[in-house]
Amino acid sequence: MKTENITISGILLEEKLNTLKKVGVDDSGWLTYYLDETSGEKWIKDYPNSEMHGGGSPILRLLDKFPWE
């Protein structure tokens, strides 16, 4: 099943992170994976603006599955 393209940024990102469990970080350190233990939703926090200093502002995206699944 394909999930909708849901992204969260700004203050909503910080609020959402408070409800999620961190389950992994990729080798680069730029991608962080989270799980919503209540709903089972899988999320990734990344920095899509690599051309900006520090990768720019992070976004949180809903995933269908984690890369290791």
Side-chain angles (χ1 to χ4, degrees), residues 1-66:
M1 182 168 96
K2 183 97 172 131
T3 59
E4 296 179 35
N5 187 17
I6 298 175
T7 60
I8 300 173
S9 61
I11 190 74
L12 294 177
L13 179 144
E14 295 303 322
E15 291 173 1
K16 183 66 174 175
L17 285 177
N18 288 330
T19 70
L20 303 175
K21 178 183 178 184
K22 183 177 173 180
V23 295
V25 178
D26 79 329
D27 291 337
S28 73
W30 287 98
L31 304 175
T32 308
Y33 300 95
Y34 295 90
L35 177 65
D36 184 323
E37 294 182 296
T38 304
S39 68
E41 292 175 331
K42 299 165 185 175
W43 295 86
I44 182 173
K45 182 177 81 171
D46 67 351
Y47 298 81
N49 299 308
S50 60
E51 70 280 358
M52 297 178 73
H53 178 73
S57 298
I59 63 167
L60 194 63
R61 293 183 291 124
L62 185 62
L63 298 174
D64 288 326
K65 61 181 182 176
F66 292 126

